Amino acid sequence: MGVIDQTEVPIKTGSIYPEPYASEMAGRSSLRLGDAGGLTQFGANLVILEPGAKSSLRHWHHNEDEFVMVTEGECTLVQDEGETRMLPGDCAAFPAGDQNGHHFINKTNAAARFLVIGTRKPHEKATYSDVDLEVELKDGTATFIHKDGTPYTGEKA
Amino acid sequence: MGVIDQTEVPIKTGSIYPEPYASEMAGRSSLRLGDAGGLTQFGANLVILEPGAKSSLRHWHHNEDEFVMVTEGECTLVQDEGETRMLPGDCAAFPAGDQNGHHFINKTNAAARFLVIGTRKPHEKATYSDVDLEVELKDGTATFIHKDGTPYTGEKA
């Protein structure tokens, strides 16, 4: 392996989220660079945020470390304590188990990009900070649940 | 955790290599961004190569995946099949166990930088492609050996 031909990497769109959250992810796409390069131990994805798009629901990982470097444009990092503007070269780290949820929003009128690295563990859980939702990932299957452990079948009344 | 203040991250210089190889690493330094951000599952280092400097001896990892994105200047990737010029945004992947050794050389007159991600496994071995040297990493200790398994005590006659 070696240099990754980014023109040959498929652009992934869409979301594994259930509705109504999947619809919130419009304008986000990504290139799975690490997968294209044959890596299995961590994901290395170049995420593209069109104006107004967000990277994900705000979340934190129970078992997996995450690292981000902005590579183009401007991203707004949102955490418990508020917003931080990030420019190309700026980096952020989100250690496994740190309950301060994060996501990135493109509040500008131009596309923004960031590289995100995340460990791949056989069993992972992520908690979404601002909504009643969690996801369990095991054996390649994602199961969405409410925070009380009951299956997610749509927003509670 | 969150945004990493790169002005507060110490610049690491020097090499763990034994001589005469340590001296070959002059002009290389790095910022351990992942460590600064509290990550433990993978390293995320910003490597700075002054003109003429190289990232490492050419090597491959037995157990750990590695991913690189050039962020500034121009780096020359050297592998078995020859050289590839890499510019900012270009990425490369080196899956664990792929015996095609790699390193990066700055052949320009300006500093170059790249971000490198590498899994942290409890036990790792790396083989240096062009010299009679291997390293075993276990419990935080690096042990250098010849390729026949004997301890490295300096270059063989």
Side-chain angles (χ1 to χ4, degrees):
Chain A
M1 199 47 71
V3 176
I4 297 160
D5 183 349
Q6 295 181 37
T7 66
E8 293 293 319
V9 179
I11 297 175
K12 185 179 173 294
T13 58
S15 170
I16 64 166
Y17 294 157
E19 292 297 351
Y21 307 115
S23 296
E24 293 185 31
M25 303 312 300
R28 181 203 64 174
S29 58
S30 64
L31 303 184
R32 298 197 159 193
L33 300 178
D35 288 355
L39 304 186
T40 59
Q41 298 172 2
F42 52 81
N45 300 331
L46 188 66
V47 177
I48 304 154
L49 296 181
E50 297 301 327
K54 65 181 77 163
S55 60
S56 63
L57 295 174
R58 196 162 77 89
H59 69 283
W60 59 275
H61 291 280
H62 292 239
N63 301 323
E64 295 177 345
D65 279 356
E66 188 178 340
F67 180 87
V68 164
M69 174 184 269
V70 175
T71 61
E72 182 183 316
E74 176 183 325
C75 294
T76 299
L77 167 63
V78 183
Q79 294 181 284
D80 286 348
E81 64 271 29
E83 299 189 350
T84 308
R85 184 170 164 256
M86 292 179 66
L87 296 172
D90 288 346
C91 296
F94 310 104
D98 182 339
Q99 300 187 23
N100 187 348
H102 66 275
H103 67 166
F104 297 87
I105 303 176
N106 180 356
K107 296 191 171 191
T108 76
N109 293 318
R113 293 181 179 226
F114 64 85
L115 179 70
V116 57
I117 311 295
T119 316
R120 289 206 172 126
K121 293 278 193 183
H123 181 210
E124 172 58 329
K125 185 175 182 179
T127 295
Y128 299 97
S129 308
D130 303 320
V131 295
D132 182 16
L133 190 69
E134 295 187 321
V135 64
E136 293 208 82
L137 296 147
K138 200 169 184 178
D139 303 325
T141 302
T143 305
F144 288 89
I145 55 176
H146 289 291
K147 288 176 178 172
D148 65 6
T150 58
Y152 179 86
T153 55
E155 281 191 315
K156 286 185 177 171
Chain B
M1 197 50 71
V3 177
I4 296 160
D5 182 350
Q6 295 182 37
T7 66
E8 292 293 320
V9 180
I11 297 175
K12 184 177 173 295
T13 58
S15 170
I16 64 165
Y17 291 157
E19 291 296 352
Y21 307 116
S23 297
E24 293 186 32
M25 303 312 301
R28 182 203 63 174
S29 59
S30 65
L31 303 184
R32 299 195 160 196
L33 301 178
D35 288 355
L39 304 187
T40 59
Q41 298 172 1
F42 52 81
N45 300 329
L46 188 66
V47 177
I48 304 155
L49 296 182
E50 298 300 328
K54 66 181 77 164
S55 59
S56 63
L57 295 173
R58 195 162 77 88
H59 69 283
W60 59 276
H61 291 281
H62 291 239
N63 301 324
E64 295 178 344
D65 279 355
E66 188 178 340
F67 179 87
V68 164
M69 175 183 270
V70 175
T71 61
E72 181 183 316
E74 176 184 324
C75 294
T76 298
L77 167 63
V78 184
Q79 294 181 285
D80 286 348
E81 64 271 28
E83 299 188 349
T84 309
R85 183 170 165 255
M86 292 180 67
L87 296 172
D90 288 345
C91 296
F94 309 104
D98 182 339
Q99 300 187 22
N100 188 348
H102 66 275
H103 67 166
F104 297 87
I105 304 177
N106 180 357
K107 296 191 169 189
T108 77
N109 292 317
R113 293 180 178 227
F114 63 85
L115 178 70
V116 57
I117 311 296
T119 316
R120 289 205 173 125
K121 294 278 191 182
H123 180 210
E124 172 58 330
K125 184 174 181 178
T127 296
Y128 299 98
S129 309
D130 304 319
V131 296
D132 183 16
L133 190 70
E134 295 187 321
V135 65
E136 294 207 83
L137 296 147
K138 201 169 183 178
D139 303 326
T141 302
T143 305
F144 287 90
I145 55 176
H146 289 291
K147 288 175 178 173
D148 65 5
T150 58
Y152 179 86
T153 56
E155 281 190 317
K156 286 185 177 171

